[in-house]
Structure formats: C-alpha cells, structure tokens
Amino acid sequence: MDKTKSTAGTVFAGFGTADITPWEGVHLGGAAYGEYRPARFVRHKLYAKASVYKDAAGNAVCIVGLDTICIKKPYADRIKQAVMAEFGLPYGAIMVFAIQSHSAPSVGPIMLDDDFPSLGEQYDYLTGHDPKYSDFATEQAIQAAKDAFADLRPLKMDAKSGMKHGLAFCRRIIMRDGTMEMFPPHRAKEQPLGPDIRCLESDADDEVGVVVFKDENMHFAGGMLHFTCHPVNDYCTASLYHSVSPDWCGTWSERVQKMMGMDEIPAVLNGCCGNVNPWNPYIPDHIMDSETMGEELAKLTERIILSMDFENADQMLTVDHYYMELPVEYREIPEERLAEVKKQMEKGLRLNSMEDIAGDATWNPGGRTNFSNAEMIADQDWFLAASTQSAIMCKEREPLFPYPIQAFRIGNICIVGMAGEPFTDGGFDIKLRSKAALTYITHMANRYVGYLPKASGYDYDAHESNFSYTNWSKLKRGSLEKICDAIVEGIDKLFE
C-alpha cells in the first residue's frame, strides 16, 4: 500500500467516557517493589475511554482505554465478554488497554501472579491492586463501551503525525565500564555532562499521532492521540507521590478536548515505551513535569489538526481486525535462582518500615528518593523471590505464553495493541514495515506480560531484563522480534 494514500474518510463512530477515579486509600499500583502507597488526593481524574468504529458492511471494532497502570486478562476479558454479549462483536475485535500511569491503580494484580497464594486482605497492595477498585473500574469501562455504541453515527475522520523531540529519552544507559543503569535525574547532578555514560541503548520514538472525527457541522466528536513515554512524572515527584493522575496522558487529552471543543476526551495510545522515560540524563537541573509535557504535546496537536485537509472525507472507510495468539517461550531460570526462591518462600513474607531501609545502598542501589512517602515496604529478597515464583506459576499454568497479536484497520490507518511493555525498537520495526499509511501502537493491551526487551537487551542486569528473573522479565530472548514479525504478518493481511 502506498503510505501517502489519504487517511481521511467517513466511518460510523461512537465515543463514551466513564469516571474511574479511585477513592482515598486505594493503592496506587505504580510502585515497583512492594511498598504501600495509598491515594491521598486527586491531581487529575482518571477515565475509561471507549470508542467504536463500524463500516458500511457492518464490520466493527471497539477500543477501550483505561487511565490505569495495568489491566490484567481476567478483567479485560470481563469487558470484552460484556461487549460480545450485548453487541455481537468477536473477541478479537475488542481491544482493552491501560496507559500505564504510575500514579494510578492497577486493574488486577500487576506485581504477582493471579494464582499467587493470598497474603490476606491487608496485604493486597503487595500484589499491586485493590480488588474492589478493579471491579469498579471494570464496570465503569463496560458502561463507557455501551455509551460508545449508543453514540454511533457517521463521522468524517482524518489522521496525521508530527514529531516532538526532547520529551522522552531511553532510560537504559550503557556505562563506560559496560554495565547498565536506569539513569534518574539526580545522577545527572552528580555527574554533569554524563562523563561515565557511553551511550543510550536505544532511540526514543518522537512520533505524535493524531486521529480526529468530526460531524457535518464541523464539530469534533472525539479522537485518538499517540505518543511513547512512561507516564512517571508525577510518580517521581516527591510531593505528588500519593496523588492520583494520568500524568502527561491526562494533561494532553484534557487540553486537546478543550482546545478543539470535542464532545469526549480523546484516548491516548501510549506506544512501545518499555525503555523510555521523561528523564533527560544529560541535564542536571531537568525537572519532570506532567503538565508541561502535556501542554507541549497539545500545542503540537493543535498545529497537526489545523493542517488536516480531510481530503476524500466523503469516501466510506473499511473497518477490519486481525487477531491470533502466538505461543512464546519463557526464560530459563538458573538452578541457583530457583534454590534462592524456594528458601525465601519458606521464610515467608517480611515487611520493613522506611526507617529500616534508610540509607541501605544494597536495597536501593540507584539511590531513588521517591520512596520517602511510602508507609511500609516488603523485604526486597522476599519480594523479588515472590516475583520469580509468579513467573514460575505463569509457566505452570500456560507452558507457552499465548501472546495476543491484535491489529485494527480503520480506513488506511492501523491501530496495534501490544501486551506488556515492548521496547521502542519493536515499535520502530512494526511502523517501518507496516503497509498502513499510519500505524499507531498502544502497549499494555489485553493482558499483562512484563517487559519485552530487544534481543541484545538481555545482556544486561537491568530493571527490564534483570537476572532475578522476575514476573516482569519472564519471556525468552528474541520474543520481541518474534512478536513483531507476527504483528507485521497480521497487518499485511489487513491491508493486502
């Protein structure tokens, strides 16, 4: 397909939004190592945003995005089954994803496996979620989908991309001694100009994608926005550690809605950001700020929308979907690690107060400071062992991980849903090989997987490819490349 083909046309579309802001005390799931982090105030509300697209032949797809850090498969399936039962869509025509804000709860136990033995209600936070909130957010998302179907009407669509450099950076830094660090901003203050840095492992994806829909009166009904970066600005700001926020995704979408007078807040499709943060490792005084980041994206979005011509917008568009499950192998866990996991599991759960670990470089080798407001935290050895045990349990239940391969066609654009946190290298690979005029990827779709590093990334004992073999680093080297090949094959079939 000629990628310069028109991205405009007419499609039946509908949009729905539901408030999924948590109540005070709900655990915010972006904490990575088992610390208790209850919500204390709302900086920005969280939403479930649903959209439905249907062509003249009756083919339809439904996209449901949540302003949460994660949605696990049982909850995503509840949303899908509700849509299937009421509106007759096939399972593969429904995409459910999370933007992955670290200042939001999880829908489902992101940190430990679903089958991990119960630790007691008072320790639900160690699993990364609050079951009552997960049920609430799921029901609200179902309602948003119902509202989107009720809103279906013919709308004109157009899509266009721009580029915004300087907001996102690869967070995996290869040092001159051959080791790797996740370089937080405070390290830049210690080492201005980065003298010990050899290079950033990968590039950031600077594409800013915009899809908008308007009616016959030139009124904007809704849209989709695409950028690629971990939403961790507020999470890494000490004063905002207990705040509820969709981070840059929320600021961006709220500003665009107001700016363009949209009926509904546009959904944000956060791309392959497993290795990308809003941290500039070279600037000692770099300040992470979700408001500034969202504003910068909104300014560019306005320019992109105003440059759209909606050429051939009266042409009816094709809607279609591709779905299959790809068997993927797990990493092999060394015997010595298995022995350590068994020992830690036999010892049982242990908790520390923040005073217990203050200044303990072996516990917190990166020197992170945003734990200062955590109330209790699990013993690191136990927690990492529980995470490895979760990976083992996942493999026992599913000997080959059934990775969902999903792509939607809406006219000449393609929306790809990728489970887990793929590296930008995978996103570039798919976008460059796609036959669609524009390809926008959203990660954390349909089920939790963990990180998907590129093959060479497994050489480093880093957070995303650690030698503790955690639940968030459980798939075999080469999985990302295999998954990307399968996605491109699916796109080829949609656009042949």
Side-chain angles (χ1 to χ4, degrees):
M1 176 174 286
D2 181 0
K3 292 192 179 185
T4 63
K5 266 194 167 184
S6 172
T7 52
T10 295
V11 65
F12 294 93
F15 303 89
T17 304
D19 191 332
I20 58 170
T21 306
W23 48 93
E24 187 172 7
V26 171
H27 177 66
L28 300 177
Y33 287 97
E35 64 266 32
Y36 179 45
R37 184 174 161 232
R40 292 196 178 132
F41 64 94
V42 177
R43 192 174 195 212
H44 288 275
K45 288 185 176 182
L46 307 184
Y47 296 98
K49 305 167 187 174
S51 56
V52 180
Y53 309 99
K54 187 176 182 180
D55 65 16
N59 301 307
V61 296
C62 176
I63 301 174
V64 181
L66 289 83
D67 288 343
T68 58
I69 187 169
C70 173
I71 182 162
K72 295 289 290 288
K73 187 177 188 297
Y75 294 94
D77 280 354
R78 274 172 54 182
I79 297 169
K80 294 184 182 188
Q81 288 159 6
V83 172
M84 292 166 64
E86 187 157 349
F87 303 106
L89 268 66
Y91 182 87
I94 307 160
M95 182 185 298
V96 180
F97 70 89
I99 61 168
Q100 210 206 350
S101 170
H102 282 240
S103 295
S106 176
V107 180
I110 182 175
M111 299 312 301
L112 300 178
D113 187 77
D114 295 352
D115 291 338
F116 197 90
S118 175
L119 300 168
E121 185 177 347
Q122 71 271 37
Y123 299 125
D124 278 338
Y125 70 90
L126 292 172
T127 73
H129 90 129
D130 180 319
K132 292 179 181 178
Y133 176 80
S134 294
D135 288 337
F136 161 74
T138 299
E139 291 305 312
Q140 288 292 90
I142 291 171
Q143 185 58 54
K146 291 179 179 180
D147 291 346
F149 275 93
D151 186 53
L152 271 172
R153 76 266 202 201
L155 295 171
K156 294 180 179 180
M157 181 194 89
D158 205 353
K160 198 168 187 178
S161 286
M163 302 292 285
K164 185 63 179 178
H165 183 64
L167 296 180
F169 308 86
C170 179
R171 70 185 193 181
R172 286 166 54 101
I173 314 297
I174 300 174
M175 310 303 287
R176 292 191 182 277
D177 62 3
T179 61
M180 175 173 285
E181 292 192 25
M182 187 191 299
F183 221 73
H186 77 268
R187 289 298 307 278
K189 295 178 182 178
E190 297 170 5
Q191 299 177 335
L193 307 181
D196 291 339
I197 294 175
R198 183 170 296 279
C199 63
L200 279 63
E201 185 189 37
S202 300
D203 291 325
D205 184 352
D206 293 329
E207 183 176 21
V208 178
V210 182
V211 187
V212 292
F213 300 82
K214 66 179 182 179
D215 62 21
E216 68 277 8
N217 297 317
M218 299 183 291
H219 179 76
F220 287 102
M224 291 182 282
L225 308 172
H226 169 68
F227 192 62
T228 301
C229 186
H230 256 81
V232 294
N233 292 281
D234 294 349
Y235 166 69
C236 293
T237 302
S239 62
L240 300 175
Y241 190 63
H242 288 274
S243 70
V244 174
S245 168
D247 207 82
W248 60 264
C249 307
T251 301
W252 185 19
S253 57
E254 288 174 11
R255 299 297 192 275
V256 170
Q257 183 199 26
K258 183 177 180 180
M259 185 184 298
M260 305 310 300
M262 289 184 178
D263 291 335
E264 302 287 347
I265 304 173
V268 172
L269 311 177
N270 191 2
C272 298
C273 69
N275 58 339
V276 176
N277 272 7
W279 299 347
N280 190 330
Y282 300 114
I283 299 180
D285 57 355
H286 175 69
I287 297 175
M288 291 176 292
D289 179 49
S290 61
E291 297 289 313
T292 299
M293 185 171 176
E295 288 283 2
E296 289 297 310
L297 289 167
K299 290 175 185 176
L300 177 57
T301 300
E302 181 182 34
R303 292 169 56 197
I304 292 171
I305 294 174
L306 294 177
S307 71
M308 292 178 177
D309 55 21
F310 286 84
E311 185 179 359
N312 300 320
D314 293 329
Q315 176 184 342
M316 288 301 298
L317 299 176
T318 296
V319 174
D320 202 355
H321 76 277
Y322 178 86
Y323 183 86
M324 59 92 71
E325 292 184 353
L326 179 72
V328 179
E329 295 181 67
Y330 297 83
R331 298 173 77 185
E332 289 295 328
I333 303 175
E335 289 297 326
E336 58 271 23
R337 178 59 185 160
L338 292 172
E340 174 63 18
V341 169
K342 182 179 179 181
K343 182 177 75 172
Q344 293 296 332
M345 292 297 96
E346 288 174 349
K347 284 184 178 180
L349 171 61
R350 302 183 300 283
L351 297 177
N352 295 317
S353 68
M354 294 312 298
E355 290 75 15
D356 294 334
I357 63 169
D360 185 350
T362 61
W363 184 89
N364 187 16
R368 292 171 64 186
T369 59
N370 58 313
F371 294 126
S372 59
N373 290 323
E375 300 189 2
M376 291 293 291
I377 195 161
D379 176 83
Q380 186 192 35
D381 291 337
W382 177 88
F383 186 78
L384 291 177
S387 187
T388 304
Q389 181 65 26
S390 293
I392 295 169
M393 296 173 81
C394 185
K395 184 176 181 180
E396 289 174 346
R397 185 176 60 251
E398 300 172 308
L400 290 174
F401 191 93
Y403 190 95
I405 304 296
Q406 188 174 42
F408 290 173
R409 176 177 180 174
I410 308 171
N412 289 330
I413 73 167
C414 184
I415 306 297
V416 174
M418 293 187 72
E421 302 180 62
F423 279 20
T424 53
D425 309 84
F428 285 132
D429 181 36
I430 292 168
K431 289 180 178 183
L432 290 171
R433 290 198 282 159
S434 172
K435 289 183 176 180
L438 291 169
T439 300
Y440 299 141
I441 301 168
T442 184
H443 79 326
M444 285 296 229
N446 301 310
R447 67 174 303 172
Y448 180 71
V449 177
Y451 290 100
L452 289 168
K454 61 181 180 180
S456 61
Y458 286 84
D459 293 339
Y460 301 98
D461 186 12
H463 176 68
E464 307 87 352
S465 53
N466 59 76
F467 295 169
S468 294
Y469 300 86
T470 56
N471 192 42
W472 65 80
S473 179
K474 60 178 172 281
L475 297 187
K476 187 177 180 180
R477 180 194 295 258
S479 295
L480 177 60
E481 290 77 8
K482 181 179 179 180
I483 289 165
C484 290
D485 286 343
I487 290 172
V488 172
E489 287 179 15
I491 296 173
D492 286 346
K493 292 180 180 179
L494 284 178
F495 290 87
E496 58 187 5

